[in-house]
Amino acid sequence: MAFDTISWLGILGLGAACGIAGQTARVVVGLKKAQDAAAADPDPEAAIKSQRILISLLIGAAAGSLAGIYTLDDPNMVSQEEVLGLIAAGYAGADFIEGVMKKLKPPTT
């Protein structure tokens, strides 16, 4: 389907926002695990790094945007299931990106 530029930007923006939301859920789980581990064994190397969190959120945004491009048929009519799918793609992040790249990769002969 051919969309105009504004529609593509809407798809990318919605996908990125949902991807960040999904990856934020993953970050929260990771922070809780890190807090529990730090209470049991305080190790300065296990400190939470904000750069790593930022990269994680960017991966979620990229995964959500790719999912939006790949799955949304009509940017003006997005269902709740599609939004939840974009959030799930953001949560899965790098795994989702790897799967999309494998699927889009042309077959080798």
Side-chain angles (χ1 to χ4, degrees):
M1 258 187 169
F3 297 125
D4 63 346
T5 305
I6 299 300
S7 295
W8 279 114
L9 289 175
I11 289 171
L12 291 172
L14 175 64
C18 290
I20 288 172
Q23 200 59 242
T24 298
R26 192 171 189 167
V27 166
V28 168
V29 170
L31 290 174
K32 175 66 175 132
K33 286 182 182 179
Q35 181 184 14
D36 293 345
D41 181 26
D43 178 16
E45 291 296 318
I48 299 165
K49 294 180 173 66
S50 59
Q51 295 166 335
R52 210 166 159 199
I53 292 172
L54 179 61
I55 290 170
S56 176
L57 294 175
L58 290 174
I59 289 171
S65 293
L66 283 172
I69 290 170
Y70 192 68
T71 61
L72 296 181
D73 293 328
D74 184 1
N76 297 317
M77 298 294 294
V78 180
S79 70
Q80 181 180 6
E81 290 81 16
E82 289 172 322
V83 170
L84 291 173
L86 296 176
I87 291 171
Y91 184 90
D95 298 332
F96 176 81
I97 292 172
E98 182 180 352
V100 167
M101 290 300 126
K102 283 182 182 177
K103 190 167 185 170
L104 295 178
K105 180 181 169 187
T108 56
T109 56

